[in-house]
Amino acid sequence: MPVSRRGLLAGTAVAGAALAIPGTASAAVVVGDKVGPDDARYQDLVLRGQNRRFVGKPDYVRVIQSAEDAVAAVQDAVRSGKRIAVRGGGHCFEDFVDSSDIEVLLDMSTYDAITWDPQYRAFSIGAGAILETVYKELFFGWGLTVPGGGCVGVGVGGHFAGGGYGPLSRKYGSVVDHLYGVEIVVVDARGRARSVVATRDNEHRDLWWAHTGGGGGNFGVVTRYLMRSAGSSGRTPGESLPKAPAALRSSILVYDWKTTTQAGFLRTVRNWFDFFEQHNTADSPYATLYAPFILTHTSAGQFLLSTQIDAAAPNAAELMKAFNAAIVAGVDPKPQVIDVGEGPFLHTTMERSIGETATPGRGKYKAGYLKKGYTDEQILAMYRGLTDSTYTGPESSVLLIPYGGKVNTVPSDATAAAQRDVVAKMVLSASWATAADDAKNLAWARKVYADIYRDTGGVPVPNATNAGSYINYPDVDLADPAYNTSGVPWHDLYYLGNYPRLQQIKSKWDPRNVFHHKLSIEPR
């Protein structure tokens, strides 16, 4: 059941095939071209971003097809004193790529080859690859996968570096738990660009660590990711990454807003939180269960719970039935339960992915990690926002995502992705079409988020319930004292205790602060 990226997972979407956005540069691109505003390719390249609130106007774009291309492009920009940004899949939620001060845009979309690298005994994935390409190549070639995201049009460039996750993370951990190394173009104190390979076991291990959750756009231009699971020797490709399921069993619960009361909503969401708190260990029979709850605004008419589980899990059908029963317990009237049945792994993954749109809208996204379920008052704050009759946003939502499991077996400082004691994530999204509606949609998103976190200064300050936020869902409001009144700086919300170490690595590898944005790591 694909749904639009604009609404993250809008409950009113209809079934159909997911549309992935292909690379926009053709095979005829001359390596090294500076694609300026007068070039026919320019508009397609600058409009690849999926949030139309931000459209950049760089002096030129360069299409990167090798590490050598990236070194030359970065060196030229540094020599000219021009501000650089990098685009992979185009899914940055803020204007880190499309800011008005970006002068040089490096487009990675055609650098997307996926091969086995015998030198590093790891899979080499070009930083321009999108998840659809990764899933297909790994699965069809070797029967393998990585626990990446459910939006198959997302590029690996930022997704991997920020600590990506997805439907298989409760079973296999964060995607960075399978990151062996990065090939990255960095700039030294003298302004010299060079390509470095940093792995978990070579002399540049600190730079590898920074890319295990430090986020994109901080240290240099990643050109390749080397993927090999922690604990694997890489002796053969087939044992180097997780085996993909053969099939997935799926169901959908559809709720009608017309018959959903405040009490029914509270009980429903509490049931969801209670279930995942009780089944959050890596060895749980529910480790492969993924059930994002897509709580769309009442103007959508419905909201839904989309569930899948590895069909090969022992008693998978009974587990799915028991889960659905736990979710609807005490809820009246009960939602419509649609048993989708079993389907092949890759086909089902593509069918149920968050689809792209050729006409992206505008959006604002805010997020939080949860160590346990929200309080009743926080759930009611969600309810008030989603039933606000003064606001119309059928593609706006609060998305609750199960997390934890295998993720929680890794120490907080073993990777830069520090949140390792969590049960779920929350993503609040406001989605709309025109600039004229910016103010009211931004106001709605900010009000709902502030209401959810009213007891902690309007943001998810780490405590017994909260574990900060997720850098791949960047929100510049967290750095604005008008919206973050907690006194806790934005970087502590994203990185917890790992931020000082990230600062040291930043100072070492990007001493001139060539690579920066509104929420970038600050050199020490």
Side-chain angles (χ1 to χ4, degrees):
M1 185 175 182
V3 290
S4 74
R5 180 67 176 184
R6 183 183 301 171
L8 266 182
L9 274 168
T12 54
V14 297
L19 175 65
I21 301 298
T24 54
S26 73
V29 167
V30 177
V31 175
D33 273 3
K34 291 183 178 180
V35 180
D38 294 332
D39 192 300
R41 296 166 290 178
Y42 181 83
Q43 285 300 318
D44 276 310
L45 287 167
V46 300
L47 287 172
R48 286 188 56 240
Q50 287 290 305
N51 188 351
R52 284 295 189 267
R53 279 181 64 207
F54 313 113
V55 178
K57 295 181 179 179
D59 294 350
Y60 61 86
V61 183
R62 295 187 87 154
V63 177
I64 304 302
Q65 295 183 309
S66 68
E68 292 75 18
D69 281 357
V71 170
V74 169
Q75 188 66 77
D76 184 52
V78 170
R79 187 181 298 116
S80 303
K82 292 184 178 294
R83 189 95 151 70
I84 306 170
V86 185
R87 170 164 286 147
H91 289 265
C92 187
F93 287 168
E94 295 286 0
D95 67 344
F96 299 168
V97 177
D98 291 310
S99 175
S100 60
D101 63 347
I102 297 299
E103 298 165 298
V104 177
L105 176 60
L106 307 185
D107 187 279
M108 308 297 294
S109 60
T110 62
Y111 192 35
D112 60 354
I114 299 170
T115 60
W116 174 254
D117 188 323
Q119 177 183 355
Y120 292 103
R121 304 192 313 279
F123 284 95
S124 171
I125 299 179
I130 60 173
L131 290 176
E132 177 180 2
T133 304
V134 173
Y135 295 155
K136 286 181 176 178
E137 292 288 335
L138 290 178
F139 183 68
F140 288 143
W142 295 273
L144 305 176
T145 194
V146 290
C151 177
V152 297
V154 163
V156 303
H159 181 68
F160 283 7
Y165 74 97
L168 295 176
S169 286
R170 281 166 42 83
K171 176 68 174 179
Y172 294 123
S174 168
V175 73
V176 298
D177 300 331
H178 307 272
L179 176 63
Y180 174 71
V182 291
E183 179 185 76
I184 179 172
V185 177
V186 294
V187 179
D188 66 19
R190 296 184 180 182
R192 295 177 299 187
R194 63 187 174 114
S195 180
V196 172
V197 175
T199 73
R200 71 166 75 104
D201 54 17
N202 74 4
E203 69 272 26
H204 305 316
R205 189 179 188 278
D206 60 340
L207 188 57
W208 161 81
W209 184 88
H211 287 85
T212 61
N218 277 306
F219 304 96
V221 180
V222 174
T223 50
R224 283 195 302 153
Y225 287 100
L226 298 169
M227 304 301 293
R228 189 215 302 168
S229 299
S232 169
S233 68
R235 287 173 297 183
T236 66
E239 57 85 31
S240 298
L241 286 174
K243 294 288 185 184
L248 299 172
R249 174 174 288 275
S250 307
S251 72
I252 300 173
L253 273 59
V254 182
Y255 296 78
D256 189 342
W257 267 120
K258 292 180 180 178
T259 59
T260 300
T261 64
Q262 176 177 289
F265 182 89
L266 178 61
R267 179 61 186 267
T268 295
V269 175
R270 175 61 59 212
N271 285 348
W272 188 91
F273 280 129
D274 286 349
F275 183 90
F276 284 106
E277 284 184 43
Q278 295 163 13
H279 300 89
N280 195 34
T281 59
D283 59 354
S284 166
Y286 286 99
T288 64
L289 181 79
Y290 185 65
F293 214 151
I294 308 109
L295 304 166
T296 44
H297 186 266
T298 185
S299 55
Q302 300 172 325
F303 60 96
L304 61 86
L305 178 64
S306 174
T307 307
Q308 68 182 51
I309 193 171
D310 185 344
N315 304 310
E318 289 76 12
L319 291 173
M320 180 75 81
K321 184 177 179 180
F323 169 73
N324 287 336
I327 296 302
V328 303
V331 177
D332 185 32
K334 298 189 184 310
Q336 178 187 6
V337 179
I338 302 173
D339 183 0
V340 181
E342 289 189 19
F345 165 69
L346 190 59
H347 173 82
T348 304
T349 296
M350 300 299 297
E351 187 177 55
R352 294 170 68 84
S353 70
I354 306 173
E356 297 293 2
T357 172
T359 56
R362 307 167 77 83
K364 177 63 177 177
Y365 307 88
K366 307 175 81 66
Y369 282 102
L370 292 90
K371 296 180 181 179
K372 63 180 182 179
Y374 283 139
T375 65
D376 284 359
E377 181 52 39
Q378 287 178 299
I379 295 173
L380 292 177
M382 292 164 49
Y383 178 81
R384 288 191 294 271
L386 294 171
T387 59
D388 181 355
S389 61
T390 67
Y391 175 75
T392 301
E395 291 188 326
S396 297
S397 66
V398 174
L399 176 63
L400 300 177
I401 310 160
Y403 197 51
K406 182 72 171 179
V407 171
N408 293 348
T409 64
V410 177
S412 181
D413 61 355
T415 64
Q419 287 83 358
R420 297 290 186 164
D421 58 350
V422 293
V423 66
K425 296 191 184 194
M426 183 279 291
V427 188
L428 188 156
S429 69
S431 302
W432 64 99
T434 65
D437 292 328
D438 282 3
K440 70 177 182 181
N441 282 279
L442 289 170
W444 177 82
R446 286 164 172 161
K447 181 177 184 297
V448 177
Y449 193 74
D451 202 11
I452 293 171
Y453 295 111
R454 72 168 66 169
D455 292 337
T456 53
V459 297
V461 173
N463 58 19
T465 298
N466 307 316
S469 194
Y470 176 44
I471 193 58
N472 276 356
Y473 297 156
D475 174 15
V476 296
D477 289 353
L478 298 189
D480 188 335
Y483 306 110
N484 177 2
T485 61
S486 70
V488 177
W490 66 267
H491 45 75
D492 286 355
L493 298 175
Y494 285 118
Y495 300 116
L496 306 183
N498 285 340
Y499 189 63
R501 183 176 175 186
L502 286 166
Q503 286 185 287
Q504 291 175 343
I505 298 169
K506 171 73 170 180
S507 296
K508 175 181 175 181
W509 288 100
D510 185 21
R512 297 164 63 104
N513 201 23
V514 171
F515 305 98
H516 61 275
H517 50 72
K518 290 179 180 176
L519 292 178
S520 58
I521 294 163
E522 301 166 353
R524 295 195 77 169

